[in-house]
C-alpha cells in the first residue's frame, strides 16, 4: 500500500521526507514524490520508480528547499505507475498525498470536470485534491474545506495536505487508512507508520477516523469532523523498526492473512454498482461475455489454485466449460485454443514468466485475454485485452494469502457477470450472489477470530509428520490444493492434495498409523460422500483433521480434530475455508522455526522459466 509522510520543523524538509519514505519502503511501491514549501510556494518533485530515482531526478532538476512539506510512496491502484500519476497531486491552492481508494472518484471527477476543472492524471487521488481545492476556493478556511470534502469521499483514505495560503503548515485527515502524528522536539511529523519517523521520535498520536491534524511551529492540534478540538493520548513506540514494518505482527504472512477483509473490500466494493457487479472499467461487458465459447484459466501456484475454484464456480453457475492449466504445461502442449475462446491469466506479480508466455501464446492463437493481476502496470496487466486489478496491496510474504483471497473474489465477480450475461441466472439471483460476496470481508474477519487458536493447536500435531494428505471433493478439492501448497512451501513438510473420491484407486495405500489427513468437507451435496472417504482413511489409522461448517453434524469418532467455520452461502465458502488452511501452514512453519516470509529456495515472483 502507499506510504505518506509530512514534516514541519527546523531541518531540511526534502532530506527528512526522503529519509522518512525509506522507512516505508517495506510496503512496496512503484513511484515517489514530495511537495515542500519553498519561498512561500509549494514546490513538487515526483517520479516513477524508486526513491533513488526521485533523488537522482532532484539532483538534475533541483531539490525543493524548505522546512515543511509532504511526501509519498505510491502502490498504484488507479492509473499505472508513471511520473504524472505519482503523488503529490494538486489543485490551484492545494497539494496532497493519499493512501487508500476513493470508491466514488468517477462521479466526483465528472462533477469537477463540469465545474471546468482539468485533470492531468488517471488517479483517484487527483480527484480528492481537486475536490478539496474546489471547496477551499469557496470556503477559504482549510479545516472546514477538509470537512466538507471528506463528507463527500467514499472509501478509504489517509491524506497529507498543504495549502499554499498557509506556508509551513501541514494538515492530515484519515478514514480507514492508518495515519500517525509524530511529536518531536520543535518538529512534528505525519506518517503512515512508525518506521518513517522512528529515527526522529518514538512519540506519536494515532489519528482516529475522520480526525484532522494541523502541524505548524506551534506544535500539533487535532480536531474532529465537527471542528471540535480533540485531546489525544501520546503513545511511544516500543517496537524495533523491523517489527513496526509488520505493524506489530511477528511476520508479514500473518499480517497479510489479517489484511484479507480489507483487501476483499478494496477489490470488490468499487466493482459493485446498484447491487450488481460492474466490470466496465475492465473492458468487460455483457456483449463480449455472451460470445465466449470456452474458457481457459492459466496460472502458476496459488494463482492456479484460485483458477481451480473459479472453474467449479463458473461451470456451476455460468454453465461455460472451463479448463484450468499450469502455465508451464499450457505453453508447451500446443493447446487447442483460438478465436472465440477466452484465456484468463491470474498473477499476483503480473511478471511470472510462464504465465506471461502462456498469455502471449493464446493471443497468437486468436483467443481473447483477460488478466487478473495485483501489481499495477505489470507486464501481464499491460498486455492483456481485458484487465481486472485486485487491490490486495503489496504482498510481501512469499507465501500468497491475501492475493489468493482477492483472486477468488474476482473469480466470483466474473462468474456472476458471465452467468447473468449468458442468461444462466436471473437478476434476483445475480443480486443475491453479489450481496453475499459483499458480506465476505466480515465473514472472513469472523473466521480468522474463530479458527486462529484451533489452527495453532492443529499445527502442533503436524510437526513430526513425514507427509500428509489434504482431501476434498468439488470446491473442497480445489481448496485442498491451496492448503497443501501453503503447508509445503513454508513448513517444508511434504503434503499432497487428493480428490477424496480418488483415494481408493491407489493413494490410500500410503495411509499409515497417525498419518495426518486434513479433510475439507464444507459442500453439503458432497458431505456424506466425503464423510465416507474420511472413514476409509480413519479405519486405516490416519489422524483426521476435518474442516466443515458450524451446522454440520459430525459423526462420532470420525475425526481427531474438527475445525468449524460459520455457515454461509456454500458457493462462497472457499473464501472462508482458505483462512484456516493458511493459518495451519503459518503456525506449523513458525513452530518449526522456519523463515516464514522468505522460505528456502523460493522467490516472490518467478520471472524466469
Ligand atoms: C504462492 O504461495 C506461491 N508463492 C507461488 O505459488 C505463486 O502463487 C506463484 O509463483 C504465482 O505467482 P504470481 O501470482 O505472481 O504469478
Amino acid at each position: 500500500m502507499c506510504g505518506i509522510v509530512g514534516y514541519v520543523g527546523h531541518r531540511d524538509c526534502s532530506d527528512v521526507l526522503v529519509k522518512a519514505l525509506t522507512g516505508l519502503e517495506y510496503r512496496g511501491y512503484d513511484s515517489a514524490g514530495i511537495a515542500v514549501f519553498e519561498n512561500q510556494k509549494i514546490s513538487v518533485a515526483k517520479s516513477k520508480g524508486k526513491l533513488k530515482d526521485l533523488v537522482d531526478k532532484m539532483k538534475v532538476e533541483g531539490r525543493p528547499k524548505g522546512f515543511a512539506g509532504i511526501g509519498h510512496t505510491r502502490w498504484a491502484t488507479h492509473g499505472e505507475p508513471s511520473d504524472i500519476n505519482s503523488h503529490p497531486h494538486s489543485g490551484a491552492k492545494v497539494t496532497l498525498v493519499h493512501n487508500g481508494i476513493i470508491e466514488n472518484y468517477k462521479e466526483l471527477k465528472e462533477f469537477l470536470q463540469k465545474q471546468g476543472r482539468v485533470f492531468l492524471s488517471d488517479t483517484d487521488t487527483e480527484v480528492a485534491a481537486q475536490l478539496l481545492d474546489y471547496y477551499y476556493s469557496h470556503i477559504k478556511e482549510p479545516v472546514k474545506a477538509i470537512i466538507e470534502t471528506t463528507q463527500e469521499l467514499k472509501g478509504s483514505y489517509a491524506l497529507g495536505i498543504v495549502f499554499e495560503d498557509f506556508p509551513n503548515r501541514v494538515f492530515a485527515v484519515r478514514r480507514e487508512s492508518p495515519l500517525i502524528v509524530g511529536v518531536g522536539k520543535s518538529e512534528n511529523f505525519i506518517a503512515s507508520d512508525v518506521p518513517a519517523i522512528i529515527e526522529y521520535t518514538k512519540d506519536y498520536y494515532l489519528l482516529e477516523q475522520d480526525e484532522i491534524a494541523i502541524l505548524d511551529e506551534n506544535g500539533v492540534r487535532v480536531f474532529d469532523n465537527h471542528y471540535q478540538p480533540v485531546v489525544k493520548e501520546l503513545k511511544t513506540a516500543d517496537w524495533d523498526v523491523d517489527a513496526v514494518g509488520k505493524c506489530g505482527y511477528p511476520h508479514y504472512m500473518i499480517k497479510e492473512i489479517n489484511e484479507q477483509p480489507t483487501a476483499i473490500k478494496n477489490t470488490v466494493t468499487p466493482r459493485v454498482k446498484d447491487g450488481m457487479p460492474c466490470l466496465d472499467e475492465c473492458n468487460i461487458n455483457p456483449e463480449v461475455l455472451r460470445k465466449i465459447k470456452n474458457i481457459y484459466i492459466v496460472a502458476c501456484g496459488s494463482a492456479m489454485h484460485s483458477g481451480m475454484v473459479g472453474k467449479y464456480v463458473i461451470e456451476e453457475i455460468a454453465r461455460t466449460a472451463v479448463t484450468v492449466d499450469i502455465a508451464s504445461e499450457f505453453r508447451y502442449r500446443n493447446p487447442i485454443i483460438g478465436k472465440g475462446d477466452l484465456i484468463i491469466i491470474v498473477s499476483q506479480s503480473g511478471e511470472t514468466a510462464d504465465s506471461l508466455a502462456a498469455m502471449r501464446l493464446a493471443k497468437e492463437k486468436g483467443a481473447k485475454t483477460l488478466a487478473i493481476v495485483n501489481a499495477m502496470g505489470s507486464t501481464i496487466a499491460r498486455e492483456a485485452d481485458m484487465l481486472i486489478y485486485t487491490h490486495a496491496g503489496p504482498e510481501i510474504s512469499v507465501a500468497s494469502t491475501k492475493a489468493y483471497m482477492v483472486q477468488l473474489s474476482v473469480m466470483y465477480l466474473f462468474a456472476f457477470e458471465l452467468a447473468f450475461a449468458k442468461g444462466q441466472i436471473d437478476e434476483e439471483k445475480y443480486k443475491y450472489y453479489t450481496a453475499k460476496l459483499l458480506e465476505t470481508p466480515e465473514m472472513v474477519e469472523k473466521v480468522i477470530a474463530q479458527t486462529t487458536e484451533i489452527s495453532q493447536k492443529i499445527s502442533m500435531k503436524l510437526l513430526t509428520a513425514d507427509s500428509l494428505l489434504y482431501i476434498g471433493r468439488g470446491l473442497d478439492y480445489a481448496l485442498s490444493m491451496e492448503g497443501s501448497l501453503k503447508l509445503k512451501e513454508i513448513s517444508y513438510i511434504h503434503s499432497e492434495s487428493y480428490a477424496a473420491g480418488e483415494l481408493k484407486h491407489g493413494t490410500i495405500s500410503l495411509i499409515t498409523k497417525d498419518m495426518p489427513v486434513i479433510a475439507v468437507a464444507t459442500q453439503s451435496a458432497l458431505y456424506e460422500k466425503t464423510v465416507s472417504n474420511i472413514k476409509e482413511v480413519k479405519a486405516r489409522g490416519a489422524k483426521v483433521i476435518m474442516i466443515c461448517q458450524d451446522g454440520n453434524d459430525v459423526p462420532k469418532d470420525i475425526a481427531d480434530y474438527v475445525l468449524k467455520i460459520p455457515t454461509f452461502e456454500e458457493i462462497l465458502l472457499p473464501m472462508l475455508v482458505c483462512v484456516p488452511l493458511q493459518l495451519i501452514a503459518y503456525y506449523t512453519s513458525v513452530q518449526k522455526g522456519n523463515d516464514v516470509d522468505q522460505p528456502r529456495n523460493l522467490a516472490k515472483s518467478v520471472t524466469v522459466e
Side-chain angles (χ1 to χ4, degrees):
M1 67 236 90
C2 301
I4 286 177
V5 295
Y7 178 72
V8 179
H10 50 78
R11 302 174 204 256
D12 177 312
C13 185
S14 297
D15 184 46
V16 171
L17 293 176
V18 170
K19 270 214 185 96
L21 288 173
T22 56
L24 299 178
E25 287 192 292
Y26 74 85
R27 300 159 77 92
Y29 68 104
D30 44 52
S31 53
I34 62 173
V36 174
F37 275 103
E38 184 172 24
N39 310 323
Q40 307 293 313
K41 288 277 178 216
I42 298 171
S43 170
V44 172
K46 60 183 189 176
S47 88
K48 178 181 175 183
K50 297 301 180 192
L51 282 168
K52 183 188 166 314
D53 302 309
L54 175 65
V55 170
D56 291 348
K57 183 172 185 177
M58 291 196 287
K59 278 183 189 141
V60 172
E61 298 178 2
R63 203 167 69 109
K65 291 177 190 56
F67 303 99
I70 51 179
H72 187 263
T73 46
R74 179 174 184 244
W75 170 267
T77 55
H78 294 76
E80 300 198 332
S82 67
D83 287 359
I84 197 66
N85 285 336
S86 311
H87 303 199
H89 287 284
S90 303
K93 294 279 191 178
V94 170
T95 296
L96 61 78
V97 290
H98 165 226
N99 176 28
I101 288 185
I102 307 294
E103 290 164 8
N104 59 335
Y105 78 97
K106 277 186 191 162
E107 307 82 286
L108 295 172
K109 188 167 185 173
E110 282 160 18
F111 162 74
L112 290 162
Q113 283 169 327
K114 288 196 183 93
Q115 309 299 318
R117 288 186 173 256
V118 175
F119 286 83
L120 305 176
S121 80
D122 309 325
T123 65
D124 55 340
T125 304
E126 190 183 7
V127 174
Q130 291 278 20
L131 186 66
L132 177 54
D133 195 68
Y134 167 79
Y135 276 112
Y136 177 69
S137 67
H138 289 84
I139 300 171
K140 297 289 182 218
E141 203 285 334
V143 174
K144 287 181 183 157
I146 290 170
I147 291 169
E148 284 299 318
T149 302
T150 51
Q151 279 166 359
E152 293 222 31
L153 297 180
K154 289 201 185 89
S156 57
Y157 52 81
L159 300 174
I161 309 161
V162 286
F163 291 82
E164 191 162 278
D165 296 342
F166 294 82
N168 296 332
R169 195 170 292 183
V170 167
F171 298 77
V173 64
R174 61 133 323 189
R175 185 184 299 158
E176 297 289 337
S177 301
L179 199 60
I180 61 172
V181 179
V183 181
K185 290 186 180 32
S186 69
E187 60 184 0
N188 296 297
F189 308 77
I190 60 169
S192 299
D193 199 350
V194 176
I197 60 171
I198 202 112
E199 181 178 325
Y200 303 102
T201 179
K202 285 196 167 187
D203 296 333
Y204 63 95
Y205 298 126
L206 261 179
L207 275 194
E208 302 298 339
Q209 298 285 52
D210 297 319
E211 285 184 347
I212 297 155
I214 306 177
L215 285 64
D216 55 26
E217 63 278 6
N218 306 318
V220 176
R221 288 169 287 154
V222 179
F223 301 91
D224 65 17
N225 59 355
H226 301 292
Y227 212 165
Q228 295 306 308
V230 176
V231 177
K232 299 295 289 177
E233 179 203 347
L234 192 65
K235 296 182 180 296
T236 301
D238 58 3
W239 298 322
D240 64 271
V241 171
D242 185 44
V244 165
K246 302 170 192 123
C247 297
Y249 288 100
H251 303 100
Y252 284 114
M253 184 175 175
I254 191 67
K255 173 172 172 268
E256 288 157 4
I257 288 171
N258 282 279
E259 283 176 339
Q260 292 183 121
T262 303
I264 299 166
K265 230 180 270 179
N266 287 344
T267 300
V268 171
T269 313
R271 275 87 180 247
V272 173
K273 223 172 172 175
D274 306 328
M276 296 179 280
C278 173
L279 298 175
D280 302 351
E281 69 172 274
C282 314
N283 280 339
I284 295 174
N285 59 58
E287 230 15 74
V288 166
L289 295 173
R290 265 191 283 277
K291 291 180 189 144
I292 291 170
K293 287 192 308 219
N294 300 301
I295 295 176
Y296 295 77
I297 302 179
V298 178
C300 303
S302 293
M304 188 274 282
H305 296 154
S306 76
M308 278 306 286
V309 171
K311 169 186 171 66
Y312 283 99
V313 172
I314 294 168
E315 290 190 345
E316 169 66 25
I317 59 171
R319 308 309 296 154
T320 302
V322 179
T323 306
V324 179
D325 235 324
I326 295 169
S328 54
E329 288 299 304
F330 177 87
R331 61 184 293 203
Y332 291 117
R333 65 174 175 79
N334 193 13
I336 301 166
I337 184 170
K339 202 165 164 34
D341 293 334
L342 172 71
I343 186 167
I344 301 177
I345 299 288
V346 188
S347 178
Q348 188 285 128
S349 63
E351 301 296 349
T352 300
D354 286 323
S355 306
L356 176 58
M359 181 174 76
R360 287 173 175 166
L361 175 62
K363 204 175 228 187
E364 271 166 36
K365 288 177 172 279
K368 274 249 175 269
T369 57
L370 163 62
I372 298 176
V373 173
N374 196 45
M376 283 289 292
S378 52
T379 309
I380 290 173
R382 281 201 308 276
E383 295 189 11
D385 303 318
M386 298 174 279
L387 171 60
I388 305 178
Y389 276 124
T390 54
H391 294 308
E395 190 175 62
I396 311 293
S397 190
V398 165
S400 184
T401 50
K402 62 176 183 173
Y404 168 79
M405 176 68 86
V406 292
Q407 286 162 0
L408 292 186
S409 71
V410 167
M411 285 294 168
Y412 285 109
L413 279 174
F414 177 79
F416 303 159
E417 191 77 338
L418 181 67
F420 187 60
K422 290 202 161 197
Q424 294 297 329
I425 57 175
D426 61 19
E427 185 170 314
E428 189 190 350
K429 193 75 174 166
Y430 188 37
K431 287 186 170 178
Y432 165 78
Y433 278 139
T434 306
K436 282 303 183 191
L437 182 59
L438 288 169
E439 288 178 28
T440 52
E442 187 193 326
M443 293 305 292
V444 168
E445 201 84 63
K446 270 193 201 143
V447 174
I448 292 171
Q450 184 172 320
T451 63
T452 293
E453 195 179 332
I454 185 164
S455 298
Q456 211 162 356
K457 282 205 184 94
I458 288 167
S459 71
M460 298 296 284
K461 306 299 174 191
L462 306 181
L463 295 181
T464 54
D466 296 327
S467 176
L468 57 135
L469 288 182
Y470 286 75
I471 65 171
R473 286 172 177 259
L475 279 172
D476 291 332
Y477 170 48
L479 268 168
S480 71
M481 294 177 183
E482 179 57 11
S484 170
L485 175 63
K486 284 282 92 56
L487 186 85
K488 279 186 283 193
E489 64 177 328
I490 61 176
S491 75
Y492 313 150
I493 298 172
H494 177 257
S495 71
E496 186 178 0
S497 73
Y498 224 83
E502 180 66 7
L503 278 171
K504 52 189 171 296
H505 299 287
T507 302
I508 199 162
S509 67
L510 288 180
I511 303 295
T512 54
K513 182 161 172 19
D514 291 340
M515 178 181 189
V517 173
I518 296 182
V520 187
T522 67
Q523 299 298 305
S524 304
L526 297 164
Y527 182 74
E528 290 311 326
K529 297 236 177 293
T530 308
V531 163
S532 309
N533 299 137
I534 295 171
K535 285 177 181 169
E536 286 163 11
V537 298
K538 187 73 184 142
R540 289 161 177 80
K543 184 182 294 177
V544 173
I545 295 125
M546 183 174 175
I547 301 177
C548 59
Q549 295 186 58
D550 280 339
N552 283 136
D553 169 23
V554 179
K556 204 167 157 357
D557 303 334
I558 184 179
D560 299 83
Y561 294 91
V562 179
L563 189 155
K564 292 212 167 183
I565 59 164
T567 300
F568 190 57
E569 168 51 54
E570 291 202 358
I571 204 158
L572 288 162
L573 281 178
M575 292 180 72
L576 275 54
V577 180
C578 69
V579 172
L581 295 175
Q582 295 163 348
L583 290 167
I584 288 170
Y586 170 73
Y587 287 114
T588 306
S589 179
V590 170
Q591 307 289 354
K592 293 201 70 176
N594 294 349
D595 183 345
V596 174
D597 289 324
Q598 301 289 338
R600 69 188 182 202
N601 310 336
L602 290 176
K604 182 60 188 168
S605 174
V606 186
T607 55
V608 294
E609 277 210 42

